[in-house]
Amino acid sequence: MSQFEYVLLDSAEDDLDETFIWYELHKQGLGVEFILEVEKTFLRISQFPLAAEKNFENTFRLVMRKFPYSIYYRIDLTTFHVHILGVLHHKRNPKTLKDRM
C-alpha cells in the first residue's frame, strides 16, 4: 500500500493551535512536545490508515501515545488522502466531531 497524504481540516488546525497554546501556558516546551507527538501520529496514520479503530460514519480514531488525545480522520481511497477531522482531548464530547461533519 502506498503512503497516504494527510490533509488537515480547518477545525483540526484550530484544535492543534488551541492545544499548543494551552500546553505552552502550563509548561514551556510542552506545546512543542505535543506537536511533535502529533506529527509522529500523523506519520503512522499516513503509513497505516486502516489500522486504527473504525468509529462512526466511516471515521477512524487513533489514540495518541503520550497525550490524552485522539485523532479522528476519514480515508479517501481514490486519492490516497487522509482527511484529519479533529484532534480531541479524551474528556471532550465526541459529538463535537459530529457537529463538524
Side-chain angles (χ1 to χ4, degrees), residues 47-92:
Q47 292 173 337
F48 307 104
L50 296 171
E53 166 191 355
K54 193 166 187 180
N55 218 5
F56 56 88
E57 298 180 22
N58 293 320
T59 301
F60 290 82
R61 173 183 178 236
L62 185 63
V63 176
M64 290 179 58
R65 292 183 175 161
K66 294 183 181 180
F67 289 88
Y69 283 80
S70 291
I71 298 175
Y72 294 84
Y73 62 94
R74 285 190 171 158
I75 302 168
D76 185 337
L77 294 173
T78 59
T79 62
F80 290 97
H81 284 115
V82 171
H83 298 274
I84 308 293
L85 306 172
V87 182
L88 302 179
H89 191 280
H90 292 164
K91 289 187 177 181
R92 199 156 169 199

Side-chain angles (χ1 to χ4, degrees), residues 7-81:
V7 179
L8 268 70
L9 271 60
D10 290 341
S11 56
E13 286 189 41
D14 292 344
D15 292 340
L16 292 175
D17 291 343
E18 290 172 17
T19 305
F20 172 80
I21 291 168
W22 191 90
Y23 276 124
E24 280 299 310
L25 289 173
H26 284 79
K27 182 180 178 189
Q28 189 174 7
L30 193 56
V32 173
E33 190 177 327
F34 173 76
I35 295 299
L36 291 173
E37 188 64 26
V38 166
E39 289 175 353
K40 286 181 191 175
T41 308
F42 285 169
L43 181 60
R44 278 192 312 162
I45 290 170
S46 68
Q47 292 173 337
F48 307 104
L50 296 171
E53 166 191 355
K54 193 166 187 180
N55 218 5
F56 56 88
E57 298 180 22
N58 293 320
T59 301
F60 290 82
R61 173 183 178 236
L62 185 63
V63 176
M64 290 179 58
R65 292 183 175 161
K66 294 183 181 180
F67 289 88
Y69 283 80
S70 291
I71 298 175
Y72 294 84
Y73 62 94
R74 285 190 171 158
I75 302 168
D76 185 337
L77 294 173
T78 59
T79 62
F80 290 97
H81 284 115

